[in-house]
Amino acid sequence: MKSSIRRSRRAAVAVALGSVLALTATACGDDGSGSAGGKGGEGSGKGTITFWDNNGGVRTDVWKEIIADFEKQNPDIKVKYVGVPAASVQSKYDTAIQGGGLPDVGGVGTAMLAEIAAQGALEPLDSRLAKSSLNGKLNEKFLDSVKSAGGDGKTYSVPTSANNGTLWYRTDLFSAAKLDPPTTWTKFYEAAGKLTDQGKNRFGYTIRGGEGSIAQALDAMYGQSGITSFWNGDKTTVNDPENVAALEKYVGLYKKDTPSADVNNDFTKMVAQWDSGTIGMLSHNLGSYADHEKALSGKFKGIPNPTLDDGTRVQVSNPVDGLALFKSGKNKAAAWKFVEFAASHEANSKWNESAGQVPANNEAAQDAWVQASEPTALAAEALNGASTKIVQLPYYLPDWNTISKADNEPNFQKVLLGKMTAKEFLDTLADQLDKAQADWKAHH
């Protein structure tokens, strides 16, 4: 079943790439390049453009505000907003690439960037950025992540925001137990044990065992092992003995210092459980701040993931969200104006304040609300701090999402349940990653 998922994904990419090659030969745009989904062009810079929001529903209101501001400043351009749920946006892009109907502008995070770029659907933006008012005003680390994720060093999206792993903790419970904030892994494990009282249904931590578990497990592994690179030559470091030991310690929390129901936790269940119960700590990201504030106002704080005892912070890369132009767009001039506006100081600040994330625009990152929101300020500091080492996940691999989700989330549950060892799990993951890397290198 798992291999068929990967084969179907590769088949989709292969079909789309074949379409791209055919279009390149017969349907060139103004810049002489082909496009997946049809011929594109600069257009008049006026008229209607279509924008797909890659997290529709959750961010719809703030996007509609930004669109209204843009249309007021650009009365000759109308933006048609289409909200696409995050869970289905990648499949919607894949379908449109093969069958037509791509938007002019779309939200494309680094986690899905490689697959869409590999199908020839995205417009490289390097030359546009070089001549743009945005030049020099975007976070360089975010830009580097976008270039790395694209697979060929080109900039296929304009970064708008970044999330960051956050350790949320109950300040009231920590104070009552006379515990220091869990700023290091040593303090984290100490707190997990001391805050647990299974007889009273109290637990020190809630672990993510369901959908989305792999990225969180990787963050915990590399954070504790201190390994700073995902690759050692052509081989992944995920099954390095230090990472194996780190994962063994982390999953050892399950059912000892965490609820047994955690084995099925996706982020929604995990957040709801933490907000409504007496659990000491939760690893998620900045996106759940509003939920915690509503449920636990004044009784919690959020800090970046723990450091090693010497103060070094190692964390895996979080997807950088951004806006991309599609090659098939017939009015790229107008579409680019919208991208520039959305990534500008005021609009980027408005979007990220609503989302509680770290702005990609450097001027927006200095705004007062960032400093007033302690979790966001600390996340921004961690992302840019000299003592933070970022392990870049291989988003550029077309198989990355399949490997890190469908292929291995069930295996991680087996580890929690004691049906698979941490070493067996990581060796399986490493084998898949090494093969995917070799396949990618053979074609690049």
Side-chain angles (χ1 to χ4, degrees), residues 178-229:
K178 296 183 169 60
L179 287 166
D180 291 334
T183 52
T184 67
W185 286 103
T186 298
K187 292 178 179 178
F188 165 81
Y189 282 107
E190 178 188 6
K194 287 191 174 181
L195 292 174
T196 297
D197 186 339
Q198 294 195 15
K200 296 181 179 179
N201 200 35
R202 295 176 181 171
F203 297 93
Y205 186 60
T206 174
I207 199 168
R208 189 168 184 166
E211 183 181 353
S213 60
I214 304 302
Q216 191 169 97
L218 291 174
D219 223 2
M221 283 164 41
Y222 282 93
Q224 295 173 80
S225 71
I227 295 170
T228 58
S229 176

Side-chain angles (χ1 to χ4, degrees), residues 287-355:
S288 55
Y289 175 77
D291 293 324
H292 307 326
E293 183 62 31
K294 184 177 180 180
L296 302 167
S297 180
K299 297 179 180 178
F300 75 98
K301 282 190 175 183
I303 58 175
N305 285 337
T307 69
L308 298 170
D309 287 341
D310 66 2
T312 301
R313 176 176 285 107
V314 180
Q315 62 182 62
V316 300
S317 56
N318 277 264
V320 173
D321 209 0
L323 296 173
L325 291 189
F326 286 84
K327 280 187 177 180
S328 57
K330 294 179 173 60
N331 198 350
K332 293 175 189 172
W336 178 246
K337 286 181 184 178
F338 177 66
V339 172
E340 284 186 303
F341 183 88
S344 67
H345 178 181
E346 184 177 347
N348 190 241
S349 185
K350 177 181 286 190
W351 191 94
N352 281 282
E353 183 175 12
S354 173

Side-chain angles (χ1 to χ4, degrees), residues 401-422:
N401 274 351
T402 303
I403 292 171
S404 63
K405 295 181 185 297
D407 278 9
N408 285 289
E409 286 175 352
N411 284 343
F412 185 71
Q413 290 180 313
K414 290 180 181 178
V415 177
L416 292 177
L417 295 171
K419 297 178 179 179
M420 178 181 271
T421 67

Side-chain angles (χ1 to χ4, degrees), residues 359-402:
N361 186 291
N362 291 325
E363 293 173 331
Q366 299 302 314
D367 284 350
W369 72 265
V370 176
Q371 300 308 313
S373 173
E374 184 181 33
T376 306
L378 290 172
E381 183 181 330
L383 285 171
N384 293 297
S387 63
T388 298
K389 311 298 182 184
I390 306 291
V391 179
Q392 291 293 340
L393 297 179
Y395 299 125
Y396 58 86
L397 294 177
D399 281 346
W400 169 248
N401 274 351
T402 303

